[in-house]
Amino acid sequence: TQADVDRCLIEFKTAIDPNRISKNSWPWQLLGYALLDYDDEYGLDAVALYLARQGLLIRWPVAEFAATLAGREVSIAETRQSFRALLEPRAAPPQT
């Protein structure tokens, strides 16, 4: 429904056996996509995994998802800025 996808970032997976989806990388990939919205332009409040072959949408509040992965409460705004700082190219130091 519309309510399920509004302000939700959805990762589509087409695995025949959803148990074979890499449990080590896809959660971090999904969180990384959400964190790339540095200025919260899209107002994301949830992330989801859509298992296309199974017709199943699994949805989490983004803050809860990030806290689960981090093992503690996190500020999404602060985490976005830290993520941005890690990914943006830095100016080369001046040559002397």
Side-chain angles (χ1 to χ4, degrees), residues 20-91:
R20 300 192 76 183
I21 296 172
S22 173
K23 293 179 175 108
N24 293 328
S25 63
W26 74 259
W28 295 103
Q29 178 183 10
L30 184 57
L31 181 60
Y33 292 151
L35 295 176
L36 285 170
D37 184 16
Y38 299 135
D39 299 317
D40 198 21
E41 179 179 343
Y42 298 102
L44 298 173
D45 60 11
V47 293
L49 183 65
Y50 181 70
L51 302 175
R53 291 178 183 252
Q54 292 74 25
L56 181 62
L57 179 70
I58 307 166
R59 188 176 192 269
W60 300 269
V62 71
E64 180 182 314
F65 190 72
T68 298
L69 290 176
R72 62 179 174 79
E73 293 291 319
V74 296
S75 162
I76 295 301
E78 289 176 14
T79 304
R80 278 187 172 126
Q81 294 314 306
S82 296
F83 193 62
R84 182 180 200 169
L86 287 171
L87 297 179
E88 286 188 340
R90 300 185 200 313

